[in-house]
């Protein structure tokens, strides 16, 4: 007893080069969509927060000052 292959398309259609290219495109597109979806869920990363520069203020000028350091 053999398993049925190609329920929607005939088996000869599944083994064509065009179908292989379409399957590869769909696979790559799915991986890219998943990567973009995961990157949208993660918080934003600002590289400028990691780099200390001379033009950064040493203390805030906000009307709500930072609490004193203990």
């Amino acid at each position: 007893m053999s398993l049925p292959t190609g329920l929607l398309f005939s088996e000869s259609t599944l083994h064509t080069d065009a179908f292989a290219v379409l399957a590869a495109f769909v696979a790559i597109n799915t991986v890219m969509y998943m990567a973009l979806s995961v990157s949208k869920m993660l918080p934003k990363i600002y590289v400028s927060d990691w780099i200390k520069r001379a033009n950064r203020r040493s203390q805030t000028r906000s009307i709500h000052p930072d609490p004193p350091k203990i």
Side-chain angles (χ1 to χ4, degrees):
M1 179 177 174
S2 65
L3 294 173
T5 57
L7 294 175
L8 294 176
F9 299 109
S10 66
E11 189 172 348
S12 62
T13 303
L14 295 177
H15 293 290
T16 60
D17 289 339
F19 193 83
V21 170
L22 180 64
F25 174 77
V26 170
I28 292 169
N29 191 24
T30 302
V31 169
M32 290 177 61
Y33 183 79
M34 182 196 66
L36 288 173
S37 299
V38 169
S39 69
K40 286 288 186 180
M41 288 190 299
L42 296 175
K44 284 189 172 182
I45 296 173
Y46 297 101
V47 178
S48 62
D49 290 345
W50 296 347
I51 301 170
K52 296 197 181 245
R53 294 184 180 166
N55 61 355
R56 302 278 305 226
R57 294 186 179 116
S58 61
Q59 58 184 333
T60 181
R61 292 184 173 180
S62 172
I63 60 172
H64 305 289
D66 291 337
K69 295 181 181 178
I70 299 173

